[in-house]
Amino acid sequence: MEKKGKGSSKKSLIDHKIFAPSILIMIAICIPFAMYQDESLELLNGIFNQVVEIFNWGYLWYAILMVIAGLYMSFSKYGNVVLGDPLEKPRFTLFEYASILIAMGLGSTIMRTGMTEWANVAVDPPIGVEAMSADALMWGNAYSMFLWTFQTFAIFVMAAPALGYLVHVRKKPVMRISEACRVIFGDKFTDGIGGKILDVLFLVSILAGAAVTLGLGTPIVTYNLAEIFNIEITFGLTVIVTIVWVCFFSISAYLGIERGIKKLSTFNMYLAGALALFIMIAGPGVFILNYFTDSIGFLSTHYIDMILNTNAVHMGESTHIQSNTVFYFAYNATWAMLHSVFAATISRGRTVREMIMTYLLAPMLIAWGATAVLGGLGVQRFLTGEVPVLEIAQEDVMAAIPAILSSLPLSIIALVAFVVVAMIFMITTLDSTTYTIASYAGTRNMSKSEPSKNLRLIVAAIITVFALLLLRIGGLAPLEVVSGLLGIPIIFLQILTIYAAKKMMDEDRAWVNNVRKKKKWKQQQQQNQ
């Protein structure tokens, strides 16, 4: 009987009813990309452009709605609800908790946008602003900061209250979208084909997004390695970088949150801080502080212009800010459920308010700091003529990164540190991704244990294979568009989970029954000490 139990346990490592269809759909997506790359990209771009043209306004209001929902859940009676036992100590200290959320929320993307996004806007500014002018430079850095303000992190976190409540309070064995929606649609839908469709949609969007993230993150490293060692950027170099990445994030994913993700995330906070300090001291520190101050003021003045910008009266005309903002919100929606599942997983013992507000503020402040330092350095080098940043960016925006860093004293140190920070950001993002997918597709009781280590390695291998295949055939562009398209149904799922969180808490009167009583809380903490 024991042997049979072990065998059946091995067979049930993965929920094949949702995992197998997700992999088959990913393969079905990749095959035409490999065979008909140009045609696939043209078709998908056409579809996405039509969606954007019709639903442009919708993406913008969606981001605002997520911020409003986040503030409502935080500062209403629901904000005091504890995700777990009200007397339970939070799993992580506030610094560890914030560091993990920052690593997950930002990833290596902040390294790219912080260094280059201002240049994209400067050469294609809002209508009425002269390209490459001082005004265009102000729009550039302010927009780089805008990408990492409340709306982005509200999109990322707002499904987390339902999922966290589901596992840590109601003690459900799985943390799935279908299970969160049980309170809305009932048992028949959740346990039937409807629930499976919701879960497969989630996994496909995350697998596609993870492959794209690995593919898009690789150039951040390869361009700088090519500069350090004076070598050409080849597919072989991409493979080597990817394999090194995979080895590290597989090890980290295998070790789990406590020994892997947490330690890497906190270490990277110190390393990123050291890099920023080096740039401030060795580079134009005073200019960076002044430019950052100006950028904060400019963003404050033009925030509404950026978040509600459809260029309606300029029919047929589109600028980088208008088109990129819509795509950015759509792409963020694709990742929303992944971020929420992971945030819910590590938030045991935190209140709903602590979880939401930490995710809204901690990554945003770090992102603004990174944008100030990296963007300020690039703008100063452009203004002084030391580095022709905008000319380089128009040819190949990624090439601008090593060119800017190479202008610093002890440039090798800056390049190496930049590569290491970017790699650790990517490792923590991807191992958080593998952990989340393994949690989602696995059959272990999530309220009691972590997902299988072997399953985490399987997921890491699958993501890597997809990423390398697409890099080899140059198919990342169509998959990136697919990720953006998948964000559309995810938006509706996210709204459902917000309603589900409220409904579950109302049913349980959680704002009365699952909150910290200050006196009991203090007594419990004293006993623990």
Side-chain angles (χ1 to χ4, degrees):
M1 293 293 290
E2 187 176 344
K3 288 183 180 178
K4 185 178 178 182
K6 287 182 180 178
S8 63
S9 176
K10 286 183 179 178
K11 288 182 181 178
S12 62
L13 182 68
I14 304 176
D15 186 342
H16 296 287
K17 291 180 181 179
I18 63 172
F19 195 69
S22 304
I23 298 300
L24 291 174
I25 290 171
M26 281 293 293
I27 292 171
I29 291 173
C30 289
I31 287 174
F33 289 172
M35 297 176 64
Y36 309 104
Q37 181 191 339
D38 293 338
E39 293 85 349
S40 298
L41 183 57
E42 184 178 352
L43 175 64
L44 287 170
N45 274 329
I47 295 171
F48 188 74
N49 288 338
Q50 280 294 109
V51 171
V52 168
E53 185 177 340
I54 296 170
F55 199 56
N56 187 357
W57 59 271
Y59 283 111
L60 304 182
W61 282 110
Y62 154 66
I64 294 172
L65 178 63
M66 290 300 103
V67 174
I68 293 171
L71 295 176
Y72 171 72
M73 291 293 286
S74 296
F75 296 103
S76 66
K77 59 188 177 183
Y78 305 106
N80 295 322
V81 175
V82 178
L83 300 174
D85 186 340
L87 298 179
E88 183 180 19
K89 184 179 180 181
R91 184 176 180 182
F92 303 104
T93 67
L94 184 59
F95 179 74
E96 292 169 344
Y97 182 62
S99 296
I100 296 170
L101 291 180
I102 288 166
M104 181 64 182
L106 300 182
S108 61
T109 306
I110 186 59
M111 309 294 284
R112 185 178 73 250
T113 60
M115 187 71 86
T116 64
E117 190 61 27
W118 67 269
N120 291 328
V121 176
V123 298
D124 185 15
I127 294 171
V129 178
E130 184 183 349
M132 304 186 193
S133 65
D135 203 21
L137 294 177
M138 290 307 307
W139 273 98
N141 214 49
Y143 181 69
S144 300
M145 293 167 63
F146 166 80
L147 293 180
W148 301 103
T149 42
F150 303 112
Q151 72 283 341
T152 290
F153 301 109
I155 289 172
F156 285 165
V157 78
M158 281 316 298
L163 298 169
Y165 191 85
L166 193 71
V167 170
H168 300 310
V169 180
R170 289 199 167 184
K171 303 297 181 183
K172 296 294 183 181
V174 292
M175 189 186 290
R176 292 180 183 166
I177 304 304
S178 59
E179 189 63 37
C181 291
R182 185 182 295 273
V183 71
I184 301 174
F185 298 119
D187 296 337
K188 186 176 180 180
F189 176 90
T190 302
D191 297 328
I193 188 67
K196 297 295 183 291
I197 290 173
L198 296 185
D199 293 330
V200 168
L201 178 64
F202 169 87
L203 285 176
V204 170
S205 68
I206 297 311
L207 287 168
V212 170
T213 297
L214 184 58
L216 293 177
T218 304
I220 300 174
V221 175
T222 54
Y223 272 78
N224 287 284
L225 286 178
E227 181 72 20
I228 293 169
F229 296 106
N230 194 26
I231 56 177
E232 289 186 10
I233 300 171
T234 62
F235 182 70
L237 179 61
T238 299
V239 170
I240 292 170
V241 169
T242 304
I243 289 172
V244 171
W245 241 332
V246 170
C247 289
F248 278 111
F249 88 70
S250 297
I251 292 169
S252 181
Y254 187 81
L255 290 173
I257 291 179
E258 296 285 350
R259 293 189 296 158
I261 300 172
K262 183 184 80 173
K263 290 186 176 180
L264 269 177
S265 299
T266 51
F267 171 72
N268 210 34
M269 287 300 98
Y270 292 117
L271 188 59
L275 174 61
L277 187 61
F278 172 78
I279 292 175
M280 291 290 290
I281 295 172
V286 173
F287 175 84
I288 288 172
L289 292 173
N290 287 332
Y291 186 53
F292 175 64
T293 302
D294 289 342
S295 298
I296 291 285
F298 198 90
L299 176 62
S300 301
T301 304
H302 294 87
Y303 180 81
I304 301 299
D305 294 332
M306 292 181 189
I307 201 169
L308 293 174
N309 178 15
T310 65
N311 280 346
V313 298
H314 300 281
M315 300 180 66
E317 293 186 61
S318 178
T319 63
H320 178 78
I321 287 180
Q322 187 262 325
S323 59
N324 188 66
T325 301
V326 173
F327 184 84
Y328 192 76
F329 288 165
Y331 190 62
N332 285 345
T334 307
W335 280 96
M337 293 303 182
L338 169 70
H339 285 265
S340 288
V341 170
F342 187 74
T345 301
I346 67 169
S347 294
R348 190 179 72 236
R350 293 285 172 187
T351 65
V352 170
R353 180 184 300 114
E354 288 170 344
M355 178 178 66
I356 294 175
M357 295 311 295
T358 302
Y359 217 143
L360 288 185
L361 295 175
M364 183 184 77
L365 294 176
I366 295 298
W368 282 14
T371 300
V373 174
L374 299 176
L377 174 64
V379 170
Q380 194 271 347
R381 292 315 196 232
F382 166 72
L383 289 173
T384 60
E386 195 169 342
V387 180
V389 181
L390 297 185
E391 291 179 19
I392 297 172
Q394 286 178 292
E395 294 293 325
D396 184 353
V397 72
M398 293 303 297
I401 295 176
I404 294 168
L405 293 173
S406 295
S407 68
L408 289 166
L410 303 174
S411 58
I412 294 298
I413 294 176
L415 286 163
V416 170
F418 189 90
V419 166
V420 173
V421 171
M423 287 196 72
I424 295 177
F425 264 133
M426 182 61 72
I427 289 166
T428 53
T429 298
L430 289 174
D431 94 30
S432 302
T433 303
T434 57
Y435 185 96
T436 303
I437 294 173
S439 301
Y440 202 91
T443 54
R444 285 189 175 180
N445 189 327
M446 279 299 295
S447 67
K448 297 179 179 178
S449 61
E450 292 192 340
S452 163
K453 293 181 178 180
N454 291 331
L455 181 53
R456 292 179 227 171
L457 294 179
I458 292 170
V459 172
I462 290 170
I463 291 172
T464 304
V465 169
F466 279 130
L468 284 175
L469 172 65
L470 290 162
L471 278 168
R472 182 58 180 167
I473 63 175
L476 274 173
L479 191 58
E480 191 174 11
V481 178
V482 168
S483 296
L485 287 170
L486 285 170
I488 298 169
I490 292 294
I491 289 173
F492 295 101
L493 287 184
Q494 193 174 22
I495 293 171
L496 284 175
T497 61
I498 294 171
Y499 175 63
K502 182 181 182 302
K503 193 170 174 58
M504 284 189 287
M505 293 180 199
D506 285 341
E507 285 183 356
D508 299 344
R509 289 180 57 83
W511 66 88
V512 175
N513 301 319
N514 216 73
V515 297
R516 291 178 186 148
K517 305 294 191 294
K518 290 184 179 180
K519 188 174 180 180
K520 288 184 177 180
W521 168 255
K522 288 181 180 178
Q523 289 174 349
Q524 184 66 38
Q525 298 313 305
Q526 288 171 358
Q527 290 175 9
N528 292 338
Q529 290 173 2

